[in-house]
Every structure is written in C-alpha cells, then in structure tokens.
Amino acid sequence: MTGLSLRKVAVESGLNIGSVRHYFDDHRNLLVAVANEVGDRMGKRLTRWSAGTLAGLDGEPAVDALQALVEELLPLDDERRVESIVLMEFIVAARVNPVFRPVTERMAADMRQVITQALDVLRVPEPAEEAERLVAIVGGLVLDAVTPHGSLGDERIRRTLRAHLRSVLVTGRAGTPRDAPERAPGRTPGEMT
C-alpha cells in the first residue's frame, strides 16, 4: 500500500488521471474502495452458504459443510490469496490510519456473525465464544499462508482447519464424544461400578 498513487493507478489501468480523480479524491479513498471490494467478494462467497444448509447436520457431514464455509475465507486459490494479502495489509494499516478502521471492523464483524450463526445452527454450545476461537484460527492460518515466514501449504491449512472443526463438532473440547453419556463424578472411564 505504500507507494500507491492515483497517477500509478491511472497508468496501470490505461486511464488518464482525471478519470481516476473523478471517482477517488485521493489514494486513501481508492484504498478504502479496494478494501470494500475485497469484503464484498468474500461476502458474496459466504452468502452461498445459508444457515439452512447446515440445519440438521451432525458428525462428519457437519464438519464437511462448516469446512466448506470457512474455506471461503482462506487463501486456497489465487483469487482468495490476493484478497487475503490485500485484507492483511488493510488490517495492519488500520492500526495507524483510522480511515481504514471502519472497513476492517465491518468485515471482522460480518465474519464473526456468519461463523456464529453457522455454529448456532449446528448446535455448538456457546457459539459466539467458539466463533472467536475459530476466527483466531482462521486469522493465524491466513497470516501463515500469505507472509514470508509462513510454511503451511493448502493441504496443511485444510487439515489444520478440519482438526479444529472436528474438535468442536465431533468431540467436545475435553476430547469426549458429544453424545457420550456423562461419567459419574470421580470415576475414570475404565473404572468398574
């Protein structure tokens, strides 16, 4: 984002500077428009996954469906990789440039809402709290995938996400199956009654 100017955009797009200035007062407004475009693209992909498609799913089918939804946010192809890089740049820029904060905050809130709704439909206890964990995992996976220090390839990203989703949907956080009967207090699983 550093070094971006309306003149450079005009040259790259084959337009004259007056045409670019007609739509954007300065490079910051142009950058906000880019961030909004990235958010809109991600939003359109997420709208393909309505909460109704998750209703009644359990076990591995629930993991499959939720993974497909969350993968829309991950840089697993060229288009999503570019979007993720742009988004990460805006998140970093928003720390010091308040003009970007409303855009990044809206995108974060929208992502949390979609994930919370999905977890709620899948009957995950405390869906908002679990959504925060999943958002943190998504953020870490994106950061690893689009920065030079990253080492996770697409398959490893998918496996990491799947392991977390299984821990939420198939087994409880303590590692016991969600539908397993509760043990009597003070007894270990192999203990005789």
Side-chain angles (χ1 to χ4, degrees), residues 19-122:
S19 296
V20 175
R21 286 189 193 279
H22 176 74
Y23 293 101
F24 306 105
D25 295 334
D26 60 25
H27 78 281
R28 278 186 240 161
N29 289 342
L30 173 63
L31 290 172
V32 168
V34 169
N36 280 320
E37 176 64 23
V38 167
D40 290 347
R41 285 181 183 187
M42 290 176 154
K44 285 177 185 170
R45 283 197 310 272
L46 289 177
T47 58
R48 288 187 274 173
W49 302 97
S50 71
T53 61
L54 301 172
L57 296 178
D58 203 8
E60 290 300 317
V63 174
D64 292 342
L66 188 55
Q67 178 144 1
L69 169 66
V70 175
E71 281 187 8
E72 294 295 343
L73 303 168
L74 295 172
L76 295 170
D77 59 31
D78 290 340
E79 179 182 347
R80 289 179 285 174
R81 190 171 313 281
V82 168
E83 289 172 357
S84 293
I85 291 168
V86 169
L87 181 58
M88 292 302 287
E89 292 292 333
F90 277 100
I91 291 168
V92 170
R95 288 180 344 152
V96 295
N97 195 333
V99 73
F100 302 132
R101 284 191 191 129
V103 176
T104 58
E105 288 170 355
R106 178 184 54 84
M107 284 191 277
D110 290 349
M111 178 176 57
R112 281 179 172 84
Q113 180 182 4
V114 168
I115 291 174
T116 300
Q117 287 174 345
L119 294 170
D120 188 45
V121 169
L122 291 168

Side-chain angles (χ1 to χ4, degrees), residues 4-24:
L4 177 72
S5 70
L6 294 180
R7 185 168 310 285
K8 286 181 182 178
V9 170
V11 168
E12 286 293 317
S13 63
L15 299 171
N16 68 46
I17 188 72
S19 296
V20 175
R21 286 189 193 279
H22 176 74
Y23 293 101
F24 306 105

